Amino acid sequence: MSSKKIIIIAGGSGGHVFPAITIANYLIKHGWDVNWIGTKNKIESDIVPKYNIKIHFIHINGLRNANLKTLISSPIHIFKSYFKIKKIINSYLPNIILGMGGYVSGPGGLAAWTSKIPFILHEQNKIPGITNRFLSKISTKNMQAFPGSLPNAEVVGNPIREDIIRIPPPVNRFKNRSGPLRILIIGGSQGASIFNKILPKISFFFKSKVVIWHQSGRNELEKTKKKYQKYGLYQHKIYSFIENMAAAYEWSDMVISRSGALTVSEITTVGIGAIFIPYPHKDQQQLLNAQDLKNNGAARVIEQSEFTIKLIVKILNSLNREKLLIMAEKSFSLGIRNSTKKIFEIIKNISKK
């Protein structure tokens, strides 16, 4: 019996690409043949080939903050992309197509719909982008990570890597843990300049009471290291990018971070107390991603305009491991740890029809 075939369409950012990689690997493990559609100049062009997944590239740009030239040429690129994807579909003949977000999903979803191939959609954020809002009207099935994102959508969470799911629950991790408070700082795969600027100064107030593992982003690694060293603080680990996030999560007592959808889902999967400083998007998507954790006492949410040394020092002074364990357990209670399996079952059932 020949294996089932799927096209995954995802691109633009780690938040779209990494959950899609998790699903792709699970499908391959279960005998599926996977092809991918993305763009050449974005993160997927580096990541996807590492997993031996065949990737087809199309040329498309986002329209957010676009200049006049991009706006004028955009319909031409969308039109060309649509026909290129139609050609890929006709040649590959997939059983089903999965859209995981990014501008590349737009012409892909349209091509799937006009080719009469089942097209399912997954929204990672609390607030969907323009592309997914449009596609949710023509898709066969809508899935969402958080409740209330898309109409008639099933809540399935965000797919999380197996090594993160396997981390022991908070009560096991905190058992017999002593010494300085362990703080993990993550500003996304690119880092966050405001964290690199403020956190070394904050660590100065706590001296040896805290130890920090800080992801700075490639562009500001040396600058951030120098800031910590300026205050005579050499116990902290500063990396441009943390390859082994599972090890970092397992090590930490708490996280200071942006609240991208995947980060929030990983934090609730592991169960960690957090201070979130959402990126100030116009649609407030990161602020809303963190809302449930704030409401159940698992996290503090501070808008970037209010993110000051004084406030963070005050919050950290009010915390200890006992309180952080309570926050971690509240966070753990919100985690969806079987997201990949749920999505796989939906793919399997719809492809049968």
Side-chain angles (χ1 to χ4, degrees):
M1 194 182 88
S2 63
S3 62
K4 289 266 184 136
K5 295 192 282 188
I6 186 169
I7 291 175
I8 293 176
I9 307 175
S13 72
H16 296 307
V17 173
F18 289 118
I21 286 285
T22 301
I23 293 168
N25 287 335
Y26 196 85
L27 285 159
I28 291 163
K29 207 167 82 177
H30 286 79
W32 282 63
D33 189 72
V34 178
N35 271 216
W36 191 297
I37 294 173
T39 48
K40 208 165 212 161
N41 58 342
K42 298 290 183 184
I43 188 171
E44 61 270 26
S45 63
D46 287 331
I47 301 290
V48 176
K50 287 178 183 174
Y51 292 88
N52 297 318
I53 297 164
K54 185 176 181 183
I55 183 165
H56 309 266
F57 295 113
I58 62 163
H59 179 72
I60 192 161
N61 289 311
L63 300 181
R64 188 185 284 169
N65 305 324
N67 59 31
L68 188 61
K69 190 183 170 188
T70 304
L71 287 169
I72 291 165
S73 64
S74 187
I76 301 159
H77 289 312
I78 291 167
F79 202 59
K80 279 184 176 175
S81 299
Y82 166 77
F83 281 107
K84 188 172 180 183
I85 295 169
K86 280 280 278 189
K87 209 172 164 185
I88 295 162
I89 290 169
N90 292 336
S91 162
Y92 182 61
L93 296 174
N95 299 89
I96 193 165
I97 293 171
L98 168 65
M100 290 290 290
Y103 298 110
V104 66
S105 290
L110 209 52
W113 184 58
T114 56
S115 302
K116 296 188 163 50
I117 303 282
F119 174 66
I120 62 174
L121 194 62
H122 181 271
E123 175 55 56
Q124 289 97 51
N125 284 290
K126 184 79 175 173
I127 296 286
I130 297 164
T131 308
N132 274 6
R133 277 208 297 271
F134 161 69
L135 291 174
S136 69
K137 294 173 174 38
I138 61 167
S139 57
T140 312
K141 170 88 176 173
N142 294 328
M143 301 176 290
Q144 57 194 358
F146 304 104
S149 299
L150 291 173
N152 308 314
E154 190 172 332
V155 178
V156 295
N158 274 316
I160 303 295
R161 296 197 323 255
E162 202 55 45
D163 58 344
I164 290 173
I165 293 169
R166 283 197 301 264
I167 294 170
V171 70
N172 295 28
R173 298 197 316 270
F174 276 74
K175 202 176 180 181
N176 303 324
R177 196 177 272 189
S178 60
L181 274 190
R182 305 171 188 181
I183 303 172
L184 175 64
I185 296 162
I186 38 177
S189 56
Q190 304 301 311
S193 282
I194 194 162
F195 291 4
N196 299 341
K197 187 180 167 187
I198 288 182
L199 268 306
K201 294 176 184 175
I202 287 167
S203 68
F204 172 71
F205 286 88
F206 294 93
K207 304 285 196 299
S208 60
K209 288 179 188 170
V210 302
V211 59
I212 287 168
W213 193 343
H214 187 136
Q215 179 175 279
S216 67
R218 195 181 304 148
N219 297 336
E220 296 191 9
L221 176 64
E222 291 310 316
K223 200 164 85 173
T224 310
K225 274 184 176 176
K226 278 175 187 163
K227 279 185 178 154
Y228 279 104
Q229 288 163 7
K230 180 183 156 188
Y231 297 113
L233 304 165
Y234 294 90
Q235 77 268 39
H236 307 307
K237 298 185 272 191
I238 300 99
Y239 293 98
S240 59
F241 182 72
I242 300 170
E243 290 286 343
N244 190 345
M245 276 309 300
Y249 285 138
E250 191 166 352
W251 168 89
S252 66
D253 293 323
M254 67 171 294
V255 175
I256 298 176
S257 137
R258 292 296 195 195
S259 46
L262 190 57
T263 302
V264 169
S265 294
E266 286 177 348
I267 283 170
T268 57
T269 295
V270 179
I272 313 174
I275 298 173
F276 289 122
I277 297 91
Y279 186 85
H281 291 290
K282 270 186 187 169
D283 63 5
Q284 296 192 308
Q285 57 171 261
Q286 287 206 0
L287 184 70
L288 292 163
N289 287 344
Q291 210 63 46
D292 286 349
L293 280 88
K294 179 189 173 182
N295 291 345
N296 93 330
R300 294 286 299 266
V301 178
I302 299 159
E303 293 199 43
Q304 187 162 296
S305 56
E306 292 161 12
F307 179 50
T308 61
I309 294 169
K310 192 179 174 184
L311 179 58
I312 300 297
V313 168
K314 188 182 171 187
I315 292 169
L316 291 178
N317 270 325
S318 72
L319 294 171
N320 55 35
R321 275 209 177 88
E322 205 178 320
K323 288 177 183 174
L324 286 168
L325 174 57
I326 292 164
M327 287 175 77
E329 288 182 319
K330 286 176 176 177
S331 170
F332 191 74
S333 73
L334 295 172
I336 298 175
R337 280 166 277 279
N338 61 345
S339 175
T340 306
K341 194 170 184 295
K342 279 183 171 188
I343 293 167
F344 174 67
E345 290 301 326
I346 289 166
I347 290 169
K348 211 167 62 170
N349 292 337
I350 289 175
S351 67
K352 275 179 190 168
K353 294 170 190 173

